[in-house]
Amino acid sequence: MADDQIKGPAAYFPSIEKTYGRPIAEWKALVRAAMPARHMELVAMLKSEHGMGHGYANAVVAHTLAEDGQ
């Protein structure tokens, strides 16, 4: 059913795990360890320190911040 599809940033998670070889929980832990920081600072950290693409990094950060109510 189309309504069961994952939407938003989480839709990228299977590709992120496959491309970068780490579970999403690890990426979220890295983001949380770098807090407090602004959204784009966290995106830049994933890109520069871990070679993650911009869209994937943005998805991880956005989802993590939303989970944490930020």
Side-chain angles (χ1 to χ4, degrees):
M1 222 169 148
D3 292 338
D4 292 339
Q5 288 183 328
I6 297 171
K7 296 179 180 163
Y12 290 102
F13 290 177
S15 294
I16 293 169
E17 290 178 332
K18 182 178 179 183
T19 301
Y20 299 101
R22 294 171 102 165
I24 291 302
E26 286 186 27
W27 293 114
K28 289 181 178 185
L30 286 170
V31 169
R32 289 183 176 112
M35 289 181 186
R38 295 172 56 99
H39 179 103
M40 290 309 295
E41 292 170 340
L42 296 167
V43 170
M45 177 271 298
L46 290 177
K47 290 170 62 176
S48 65
E49 295 180 21
H50 301 282
M52 188 175 278
H54 181 85
Y56 286 163
N58 190 57
V60 171
V61 171
H63 196 271
T64 303
L65 293 178
E67 264 187 348
D68 293 355
Q70 296 184 23

